[in-house]
Amino acid sequence: MIESVFSTGDVPKADRWASWYETGTRSHLPTLIRTDHQDDFHGEIRLLDLGSLQVSTLTYSPLRVDRTPKLIRQSDPGVYFIVVHRHGRLGVAQGGRETLLGQQDLVLYDTSQPFTSWASTEHGGVASCIVMQVPKKLFPIRPKTLSALTAVRLPSKEGLGALVAHQLTQLVKHAPSYTAADTTRLATITLDILAALCAHELESTGALPADTRRQSLQAQIHEFIRQRLGDPTLSPGTIAAAHRMSTRHLYKLFQDQGLTVADWIRQCRLERCRRDLADPNLHSRPVHAIAARWGFTSSAHFSRAFRTAYGMPPSEYRHAVASEQSVQASSTTRTDSQGQADNGQACSCLSR
């Protein structure tokens, strides 16, 4: 289970505020939280665990959160928060800056430094946001450099900012469909896009080190490729032209990663095909159609590449996954039936 849910609707009314406070500080970090709605507090926390990253969807009555120097001395997990504001009004203050966010706006703050955030609504409604926790040790930009972006409203209507907001929104929307094997890939993709956004914003101020600029460019190229995997004409030439660089420079960027451009494209395409072949909702779609959807123009070439990567032909892989899913479904059904029978026995015993 990589998603967990807490709702104040599942606890007695008198315990809702205390339960929210305890769950929120335990799942995120120690803070002081205040509200004028303790007697009628409504809140929900949905946690998506991606291993190295945690993405939360928070819904809550108006409140104020303070991360104080004393709390930081007591506990400092060393993470950044990137927030996508969804409903209500949200403000964040850190490092002498203060920003007010509109719907879908982005903001970054450093949990190792004091901050204050507050949310308000109209007519007694609830506010909501998406929060991603990113360990500093995984982020390619030094904290001293990144501090220029904390408590700054980041653009989210177009470009990389829109891509980050969309990525986080889609992550939480489709959380129930992920498997444990998906977590590393999802975390890597999401971290790459966020780093690219921050690098892009810092680059305009000249604050970005050369090494980070290169990593940012790599992340942007990776995302460009992922968005166009279904295009059979995708090539080093088209990628280089879109990023206004020579193909030689592009090849050098990929040499640093130990892959050729073609290898990286093929690896991404095969992974998308593998995912679709394992999807029971796509079971009626022919194998060759799935291959074509992700840019393979030759069925024979796709079959050879898939077998090399995963050890079996695509049709055999689909059958093996479907069989495993069927066994798991049968096991779940038996467990549920046994549970119902046990409950029935318990009820019978109690009624005697």
Side-chain angles (χ1 to χ4, degrees):
M1 177 67 71
I2 62 174
E3 184 188 33
S4 58
V5 181
F6 165 81
S7 174
T8 56
D10 297 329
V11 297
K13 186 175 181 179
D15 299 331
R16 288 177 181 175
W17 167 244
S19 298
W20 165 270
Y21 197 125
E22 194 275 334
T23 302
T25 54
R26 186 182 68 246
S27 60
H28 290 76
L29 75 164
T31 54
L32 296 176
I33 311 176
R34 302 177 178 86
T35 183
D36 294 330
H37 300 269
Q38 290 192 26
D39 295 335
D40 59 344
F41 191 84
H42 297 280
E44 182 181 82
I45 302 174
R46 305 184 73 91
L47 295 176
L48 174 60
D49 183 4
L50 297 180
S52 58
L53 307 181
Q54 177 179 287
V55 184
S56 312
T57 307
L58 304 176
T59 305
Y60 43 85
S61 299
L63 49 71
R64 175 190 172 101
V65 178
D66 287 288
R67 175 83 165 146
T68 66
K70 181 179 179 180
L71 288 173
I72 293 169
R73 289 193 298 269
Q74 292 173 348
S75 173
D76 182 9
V79 298
Y80 294 115
F81 278 9
I82 182 75
V83 176
V84 183
H85 179 52
R86 304 178 81 181
H87 301 293
R89 291 185 295 272
L90 180 68
V92 176
Q94 186 172 59
R97 288 187 293 268
E98 181 177 313
T99 186
L100 297 176
L101 304 180
Q103 190 171 352
Q104 290 299 108
D105 279 345
L106 296 166
V107 68
L108 172 81
Y109 44 102
D110 182 350
T111 63
S112 299
Q113 301 296 326
F115 70 80
T116 297
S117 68
W118 60 95
S120 62
T121 62
E122 296 180 356
H123 312 303
V126 292
S128 69
C129 64
I130 299 172
V131 180
M132 180 167 69
Q133 299 183 49
V134 181
K136 290 183 177 181
K137 63 183 180 182
L138 297 182
F139 210 69
I141 303 174
R142 293 190 293 268
K144 185 176 180 180
T145 302
L146 196 62
S147 64
L149 293 183
T150 56
V152 173
R153 186 170 60 181
L154 300 173
S156 61
K157 306 306 180 189
E158 58 184 12
L160 289 167
L163 195 57
V164 170
H166 177 77
Q167 173 72 2
L168 294 181
T169 301
Q170 293 301 306
L171 270 178
V172 298
K173 179 179 179 181
H174 299 290
S177 67
Y178 304 142
T179 66
D182 295 325
T183 58
T184 300
R185 291 184 289 269
L186 290 170
T188 299
I189 292 170
T190 306
L191 187 59
D192 280 351
I193 300 171
L194 175 59
L197 168 63
C198 293
H200 176 79
E201 294 301 310
L202 288 166
E203 194 165 15
S204 63
T205 68
L208 198 64
D211 185 58
T212 308
R213 281 199 296 271
R214 187 183 72 254
Q215 294 177 359
S216 169
L217 181 57
Q218 289 173 342
Q220 291 179 53
I221 292 171
H222 287 169
E223 187 57 29
F224 178 88
I225 292 171
R226 291 188 191 104
Q227 295 294 325
R228 293 161 179 79
L229 290 174
D231 181 0
T233 67
L234 183 67
S235 69
T238 59
I239 297 168
H243 292 83
R244 300 179 182 177
M245 66 174 64
S246 67
T247 52
R248 181 179 179 181
H249 187 193
L250 179 68
Y251 289 139
K252 190 174 188 318
L253 283 172
F254 275 81
Q255 284 174 359
D256 293 344
Q257 303 167 71
L259 288 171
T260 67
V261 183
D263 285 343
W264 208 88
I265 294 172
R266 181 172 60 254
Q267 180 177 298
C268 290
R269 282 175 168 162
L270 286 170
E271 179 56 28
R272 295 295 178 90
C273 290
R274 184 204 63 79
R275 185 188 64 185
D276 282 4
L277 289 168
D279 187 344
N281 296 319
L282 300 177
H283 191 69
S284 62
R285 182 171 295 181
V287 171
H288 68 83
I290 288 176
R293 179 189 182 192
W294 296 113
F296 287 100
T297 57
S298 165
S299 296
H301 170 69
F302 166 66
S303 184
R304 288 194 299 270
F306 191 94
R307 183 167 190 160
T308 299
Y310 301 109
M312 63 181 72
S315 56
E316 186 177 328
Y317 174 83
R318 169 182 266 179
H319 178 73
V321 171
S323 297
E324 183 178 348
Q325 290 169 342
S326 178
V327 169
Q328 291 175 346
S330 298
S331 176
T332 301
T333 300
R334 287 196 299 272
T335 301
D336 290 345
S337 298
Q338 183 62 47
Q340 291 173 2
D342 291 343
N343 287 339
Q345 282 187 338
C347 291
S348 296
C349 293
L350 291 170
S351 65
R352 287 198 290 268

